[in-house]
Amino acid sequence: MTDHTAPVQALLLVDLQRAFVSGAEAVPDAARLLRHSRDLLARARAGGALVVHLQNDGPPGAADEPGTSGWELSLPVEEHGREAVVRKTEDDGFDGTALGALLDGAGVRAVAVCGVMSEMCVAATARTALARGHRVVLPHDAHATYDIPARPGVSDAVPAVMVSRVAEWSLGDEVEIPAHAAEVTFASAGHG
């Protein structure tokens, strides 16, 4: 069993954009998600970890279309060498972006992942991080998604909390899933 209390050197905040975490179209319990993500962000900064805000560029007319209020990041970005924004158009934050080069260049071996959507962008990004040889920590209370609506003849509605848990399970036993974001610790690369 892996010790998920060992520090990580980077925090990946996945698509914490206004369209998904505020207003009538926010994921269920968005306030909890933002509270835990803010805490992770503050502690990552304090620990000298690399912070990467992934920002999805949705297609024209989407809630996260670039330039719209829904596209804007919900948490503030500190513009300096240990924090970056990486824009993406695919679920996987590594696909067609500089994310891999950023992590490699900073000497990152372990990452914590938080954000939305659990079964889409969060899982896809975590899966590629694992495939690239990173240790991945996915705190259970720091990612979220929407309910899956019922589909006659297929299934009843699936609550968002169950969708998020299935997303964790789908990542296999390599991903570390602490119950609480508060269990995650941070250090700069070269430490921990």
Side-chain angles (χ1 to χ4, degrees):
M1 176 176 237
T2 307
D3 176 15
H4 58 252
T5 60
V8 298
Q9 297 92 26
L11 174 63
L12 309 181
L13 299 118
V14 182
D15 302 348
L16 287 172
Q17 294 163 254
R18 290 185 179 163
F20 310 127
V21 296
S22 62
E25 299 300 316
V27 295
D29 210 4
R32 172 196 52 85
L33 171 64
L34 284 173
R35 183 174 62 253
H36 294 301
S37 297
R38 273 190 199 97
D39 174 61
L40 286 166
L41 178 58
R43 291 187 299 107
R45 287 171 174 161
L50 176 68
V51 173
V52 181
H53 302 261
L54 292 171
Q55 185 175 27
N56 197 65
D57 289 349
D64 59 350
E65 177 183 352
T68 66
S69 63
W71 173 78
E72 294 175 9
L73 294 170
S74 289
L75 299 179
V77 177
E78 287 185 2
E79 300 289 341
H80 60 75
R82 299 296 300 163
E83 199 154 333
V85 175
V86 172
R87 292 173 62 177
K88 64 186 190 62
T89 57
E90 305 297 329
D91 286 355
D92 180 355
F94 290 90
D95 189 356
T97 73
L99 179 58
L102 266 174
L103 296 177
D104 293 347
V108 170
R109 296 179 311 281
V111 300
V113 182
C114 67
V116 295
M117 297 317 154
S118 300
E119 78 284 17
M120 295 165 63
C121 298
V122 169
T125 301
R127 189 170 285 111
T128 297
L130 287 168
R132 291 175 54 87
H134 295 288
R135 182 177 144 242
V136 177
V137 179
L138 179 62
H140 176 73
D141 60 2
H143 64 95
T145 193
Y146 294 106
D147 297 333
I148 297 176
R151 182 165 179 194
V154 176
S155 76
D156 293 334
V158 181
V161 294
M162 299 309 298
V163 179
S164 290
R165 182 63 188 119
V166 170
E168 293 170 349
W169 184 257
S170 76
L171 292 168
D173 59 6
E174 289 181 60
V175 70
E176 298 170 35
I177 305 170
H180 306 288
E183 298 174 54
V184 180
T185 59
F186 295 92
S188 61
H191 298 91

